[in-house]
């Protein structure tokens, strides 16, 4: 493809004089090690390294063009200066792959909690209605029926455009993270439906404030197609704020919530998670397979987007009832002694509340909560996490989560300090995660619910005493 075609819709300044019309481009790379002859290398300043430091390596590997934010005048190949390399990469990737999002039904889901569950619910409903669906999210990427583990919730723009180009799926369902939005990974991608689930205290190690976190999430709705539809949970205060803004901007918007003023009005009818959706004088009774108030909202959002896309209402209700669940999202493992063990990805205060509350509503006689804190992640939420679990659980076991770069001894000291200053007599610190799970299971009784949160589907980053590699594997190992 001609270079000038790739640079369409990008403001740039050419540093080295050469006729750009004559340059043919065979590929794009943002890592110098992936450059091949005839490639564009886009230099991006990251958080651990700066792509501008690897420009000479890219040239040695055959790069024909260098694009970057810094100015270079002595390179052996043409250099194009842009104000934002990440944004430029996204536009170039879209142009290179023919802007594939324009030819598919694109659904984006954002929010602090529930993105993964809602994305699988939408996929299940639409596939039950005969539509082929790809999925790009936290657990996996599914394109043309082939699954591969995900590295990031929202992949980089180059990877994402390639996946869309390769996909034969009618619909692509994508989890839109705040990191992905802030880093312009979705720049140039356009959506038929954008869903806002909720917003709560999270990622404030990355965003300066929850207001900034919200504003980042809100940018997703600037990526709607001309006739695209926003679907907003207005029972969430941030969702209500977003809805007001979108209404003023005359964006096509549908709302869900308990108030009769919503387009999809929710009426909770049972402790088992059953509910009704009322819209345009019609009422649909829903008995979802996933329990808990949070999953009523997840199911309602999935219902709304499927309905907007013309799915059969009877099949939507049936699909929600027979939904098989999601790996690592409130997965229940019944024990022979009458106890239940739950593995869940919850790692925010709100998510903790919903997990523990769901177990209580399900009839738990005693709740034991096992969780930890991730190293180098948002420290400001830890106090609230411990306070809510100390309030709602009968016992908590503080243990290790991912250490990342934090030394083991430092994290153990953190657990001890927060337990001693904020916790209560119901808690214990057991650093070895597998031994914490073992103690809870060995001492469990009929009617106990053991809630293990934080990791969900993810494998352990470090080794523990038991020969297991995940919470699910540990529970299975101890059950056998």
């Amino acid at each position: 493809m001609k270079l000038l075609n790739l640079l369409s819709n990008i403001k740039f300044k050419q540093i080295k004089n050469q006729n750009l019309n004559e340059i043919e481009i065979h590929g794009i790379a943002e890592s110098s090690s992936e450059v091949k002859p005839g490639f564009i290398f886009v230099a991006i300043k990251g958080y651990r390294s700066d792509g501008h430091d690897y420009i000479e390596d890219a040239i040695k590997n055959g790069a024909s063009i260098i694009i970057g934010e810094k100015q270079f005048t002595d390179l052996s190949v043409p250099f194009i200066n842009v104000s934002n390399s990440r944004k430029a990469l996204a536009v170039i990737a879209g142009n290179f792959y023919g802007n594939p999002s324009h030819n598919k039904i694109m659904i984006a889901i954002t929010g602090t909690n529930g993105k993964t569950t809602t994305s699988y619910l939408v996929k299940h409903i639409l596939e039950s209605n005969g539509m082929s669906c790809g999925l790009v999210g936290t657990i996996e990427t599914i394109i043309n029926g082939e699954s591969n583990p995900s590295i990031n919730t929202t992949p980089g723009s180059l990877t994402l455009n390639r996946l869309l180009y390769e996909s034969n799926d009618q619909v692509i369902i994508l989890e839109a993270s705040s990191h992905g939005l802030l880093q312009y990974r979705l720049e140039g991608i356009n959506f038929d439906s954008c869903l806002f689930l909720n917003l709560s205290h999270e990622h404030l190690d990355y965003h300066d404030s929850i207001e900034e976190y919200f504003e980042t999430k809100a940018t997703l709705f600037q990526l709607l197609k001309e006739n695209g539809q926003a679907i907003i949970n207005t029972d969430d205060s941030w969702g209500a704020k977003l809805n007001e803004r979108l209404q003023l901007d005359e964006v096509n918007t549908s709302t869900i919530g308990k108030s009769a003023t919503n387009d999809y009005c929710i009426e909770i009818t049972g402790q088992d998670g059953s509910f009704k959706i009322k819209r345009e004088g019609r009422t649909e009774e829903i008995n979802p397979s996933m329990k808990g108030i949070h999953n009523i909202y997840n199911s309602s959002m999935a219902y709304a987007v499927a309905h907007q896309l013309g799915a059969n209402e009877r099949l939507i209700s049936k699909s929600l009832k027979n939904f098989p669940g999601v790996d690592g999202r409130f997965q229940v493992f019944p024990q022979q002694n009458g106890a239940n063990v739950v593995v869940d990805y919850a790692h925010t205060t709100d998510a903790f509340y919903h997990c523990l509350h769901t177990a209580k509503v399900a009839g738990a006689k005693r709740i034991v909560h096992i969780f930890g804190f991730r190293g180098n992640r948002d420290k400001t939420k830890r106090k609230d996490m411990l306070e809510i679990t100390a309030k709602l659980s009968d016992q908590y076991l503080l243990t290790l989560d991912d250490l990342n770069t934090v030394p083991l001894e430092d994290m153990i000291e953190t657990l001890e300090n927060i337990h001693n200053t904020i916790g209560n007599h119901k808690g214990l610190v057991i650093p070895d995660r597998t031994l914490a799970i073992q103690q809870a299971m060995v001492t469990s009784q009929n009617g106990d619910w053991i809630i293990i949160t934080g990791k969900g589907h993810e494998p352990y980053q470090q080794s523990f005493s038991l020969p297991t590699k995940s919470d699910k594997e540990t529970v299975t190992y101890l059950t056998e």
Side-chain angles (χ1 to χ4, degrees), residues 201-221:
H201 189 141
E202 174 72 326
H203 299 309
L204 299 192
D205 55 330
Y206 188 75
H207 304 282
D208 290 335
S209 65
I210 194 165
E211 289 78 15
E212 182 186 300
Y213 180 37
F214 167 73
E215 293 298 339
T216 300
K217 292 284 193 183
T219 61
L220 173 65
F221 297 84

Side-chain angles (χ1 to χ4, degrees), residues 69-81:
E69 296 171 7
K70 300 178 181 179
Q71 292 194 8
F72 295 85
T73 58
D74 57 350
L75 300 179
S76 59
V77 300
F79 176 76
I80 294 172
N81 182 235

Side-chain angles (χ1 to χ4, degrees), residues 196-463:
F196 183 91
L197 305 180
N198 50 63
L199 194 87
S200 62
H201 189 141
E202 174 72 326
H203 299 309
L204 299 192
D205 55 330
Y206 188 75
H207 304 282
D208 290 335
S209 65
I210 194 165
E211 289 78 15
E212 182 186 300
Y213 180 37
F214 167 73
E215 293 298 339
T216 300
K217 292 284 193 183
T219 61
L220 173 65
F221 297 84
Q222 299 171 12
L223 304 179
L224 281 164
K225 295 178 181 178
E226 185 176 352
N227 296 315
Q229 186 82 14
I231 300 175
I232 311 295
N233 169 19
T234 58
D235 283 353
D236 180 89
S237 60
W238 293 100
K241 179 178 179 178
L242 177 62
N243 179 55
E244 290 180 5
R245 180 183 298 183
L246 296 178
Q247 296 285 0
L248 289 173
D249 292 340
E250 298 184 345
V251 175
N252 295 328
T253 306
S254 293
T255 60
I256 73 158
K258 295 178 183 177
S259 169
T261 60
N262 287 286
D263 298 292
Y264 296 86
C265 175
I266 302 170
E267 179 186 337
I268 300 174
T269 57
Q271 294 286 341
D272 61 349
S274 59
F275 65 101
K276 294 179 181 178
I277 287 185
K278 299 179 180 180
R279 56 164 196 84
E280 298 175 350
R282 297 171 60 92
T283 300
E284 190 76 24
E285 294 190 12
I286 310 292
N287 293 289
S289 62
M290 300 192 75
K291 308 307 178 186
I293 292 176
H294 58 306
N295 281 317
I296 289 177
Y297 284 95
N298 294 337
S299 298
S300 298
M301 296 293 285
Y303 181 102
V305 70
H307 177 253
Q308 294 282 344
L309 294 177
N312 180 281
E313 294 175 30
R314 180 183 59 82
L315 287 179
I316 295 176
S317 300
K318 183 178 180 181
S319 299
L320 290 171
K321 187 174 183 178
N322 62 29
F323 179 63
V326 183
D327 188 24
R329 268 56 178 182
F330 211 83
Q331 278 188 286
V332 182
F333 299 87
Q335 303 297 297
Q336 290 185 352
N337 67 351
N340 285 294
V341 180
V342 174
V343 173
D344 194 86
Y345 189 56
H347 52 277
T348 68
T349 305
D350 280 4
F352 277 15
Y353 169 81
H354 287 300
C355 273
L356 301 174
H357 180 72
T358 298
K360 191 173 291 289
V361 169
K365 293 180 180 178
R366 193 173 73 105
I367 295 175
V368 179
H369 186 196
I370 302 169
F371 71 103
F373 308 116
R374 295 199 171 183
N376 296 326
R377 296 295 173 88
D378 188 354
K379 297 179 181 179
T380 62
K381 65 179 182 177
R382 292 177 178 177
K383 175 178 179 291
D384 293 339
M385 291 167 67
L386 183 53
E387 285 182 344
I388 194 69
T389 196
K391 179 180 179 181
L392 295 181
S393 61
D394 297 281
Q395 183 183 43
Y396 65 82
L397 303 180
L398 273 175
T399 191
L400 294 177
D401 201 309
D402 294 342
L403 290 172
N404 296 321
T405 60
V406 175
L408 173 63
E409 296 77 11
D410 290 359
M411 183 54 75
I412 293 174
E413 183 179 353
T414 295
L415 296 178
E416 294 282 1
N417 286 340
I418 197 168
H419 166 63
N420 291 330
T421 57
I422 301 171
N424 57 28
H425 64 280
K426 296 187 294 184
L428 293 172
V429 176
I430 304 178
D432 188 300
R433 193 174 182 92
T434 60
L435 296 184
I437 295 171
Q438 182 180 52
Q439 173 160 321
M441 291 180 64
V442 168
T443 59
S444 67
Q445 300 176 10
N446 181 36
D448 286 357
W449 282 65
I450 300 167
I451 314 293
I452 310 166
T453 62
K455 294 293 293 175
H457 66 285
E458 295 179 342
Y460 296 148
Q461 279 191 2
Q462 55 266 358
S463 297

